[in-house]
Amino acid sequence: MPSGITLEFFRELLENAEKSLNDMFVRTYGMLYMQNSEVFQDLFTELKRYYTGGNVNLEEMLNDFWARLLERMFQLINPQYHFSEDYLECVSKYTDQLKPFGDVPRKLKIQVTRAFIAARTFVQGLTVGREVANRVSKVTEGVSSL
């Protein structure tokens, strides 16, 4: 996968977004968020893995995030009950019909997918361009020395 300034720039943007979201949720929800923050940490881990060239299906990963978030929230809203994994999985299967988060997951999925595909493609394109420029300069050096 590409290296260099551009890769680091986008990685830094992603890390800043993660930190900013984390800080906002800690201020807003306090301990409740901190006890469940791994749902969001896992999301950013997968986004970073995708960006750095990992084999990650963005749509599937985002669907999993919303399903996990729904399961976690369902448990938090209903602390008087104990739900089996099968029950929670069933609840998350009906996320599209229940729409507990409204249209946010669909909109966010579109925006995140477009942004990450564009960023990763841009960095890969710059890397290919750099390699082509290096090869052309070597060929040019070889021709000029003749």
Side-chain angles (χ1 to χ4, degrees), residues 83-103:
F83 301 104
S84 70
E85 288 298 316
D86 290 339
Y87 187 88
L88 292 172
E89 189 175 318
C90 181
V91 168
S92 66
K93 282 183 183 177
Y94 289 96
T95 302
D96 289 340
Q97 291 84 3
L98 297 172
K99 295 192 185 236
F101 304 109
D103 206 25

Side-chain angles (χ1 to χ4, degrees), residues 11 17 21 23 25 30 34 47 51-52 59 62 77 128 142-143:
R11 187 177 291 147
L21 181 81
D23 292 347
F25 280 173
M34 290 175 11
L47 289 172
Y51 176 67
T52 57
E59 185 173 346
L62 289 167
I77 292 170
V128 169
V143 169

Side-chain angles (χ1 to χ4, degrees), residues 9-142:
F9 173 74
F10 285 119
R11 187 177 291 147
E12 189 175 316
L13 283 177
L14 188 55
E15 288 172 5
N16 288 341
E18 180 179 15
K19 183 181 179 334
S20 179
L21 181 81
N22 187 62
D23 292 347
M24 180 190 69
F25 280 173
V26 167
R27 282 191 312 273
T28 305
Y29 301 107
M31 274 311 269
L32 183 62
Y33 168 73
M34 290 175 11
Q35 292 169 340
N36 297 284
S37 63
E38 77 276 355
V39 173
F40 292 91
Q41 290 168 351
D42 292 348
L43 169 68
F44 279 95
T45 297
E46 288 301 300
L47 289 172
K48 289 173 191 171
R49 199 163 68 90
Y50 171 82
Y51 176 67
T52 57
N55 188 18
V56 175
N57 180 318
L58 282 177
E59 185 173 346
E60 186 177 302
M61 182 265 301
L62 289 167
N63 287 340
D64 288 347
F65 164 74
W66 289 107
R68 285 186 63 208
L69 185 60
L70 176 61
E71 288 175 12
R72 191 63 60 95
M73 289 180 67
F74 192 77
Q75 290 174 309
L76 291 171
I77 292 170
N78 299 292
Q80 68 274 26
Y81 301 109
H82 174 74
F83 301 104
S84 70
E85 288 298 316
D86 290 339
Y87 187 88
L88 292 172
E89 189 175 318
C90 181
V91 168
S92 66
K93 282 183 183 177
Y94 289 96
T95 302
D96 289 340
Q97 291 84 3
L98 297 172
K99 295 192 185 236
F101 304 109
D103 206 25
V104 172
R106 186 187 67 76
K107 289 178 180 178
L108 192 63
K109 189 185 321 177
I110 290 168
Q111 293 171 344
V112 167
T113 301
R114 285 179 183 164
F116 274 80
I117 288 172
R120 189 163 103 166
T121 301
F122 178 71
V123 171
Q124 289 172 341
L126 288 176
T127 300
V128 169
R130 184 182 66 224
E131 291 171 4
V132 168
N134 286 339
R135 288 180 184 165
V136 167
S137 71
K138 287 179 183 176
V139 168
T140 305
E141 288 171 7

